[in-house]
Amino acid sequence: MQIFMNDAAVACAEGTTVAELLAQEGIAPVNVAVAVEDTVVPKAQWDKTALTEGARVIVIKAVQGG
């Protein structure tokens, strides 16, 4: 299936979870926030939140600096 992560098309298997998507894309689950369809998904729910065809996912990685 195809989803959109930060407005870029990404192919993934049907039923892929948020946690699986991050692993697939090589994104470490540290200092990261995820929203699916404009709703923030708590980190404790990443492995239970399955994505659907065409889902819009926003991944924000916090960085430190000045």
Side-chain angles (χ1 to χ4, degrees), residues 39-64:
T39 300
V40 174
V41 179
K43 191 171 189 174
Q45 297 297 313
W46 288 0
D47 62 342
K48 298 173 188 154
T49 303
L51 302 171
T52 57
E53 178 70 34
R56 300 212 174 265
V57 180
I58 298 171
V59 178
I60 300 171
K61 183 158 177 88
V63 294
Q64 187 174 353

Side-chain angles (χ1 to χ4, degrees), residues 6-45:
N6 295 351
D7 293 325
V10 175
C12 58
E14 189 75 28
T16 296
T17 66
V18 169
E20 292 167 337
L21 176 66
L22 294 177
Q24 173 186 310
E25 296 301 307
I27 299 170
V30 179
N31 298 323
V32 173
V34 178
V36 177
E37 302 298 344
D38 297 324
T39 300
V40 174
V41 179
K43 191 171 189 174
Q45 297 297 313

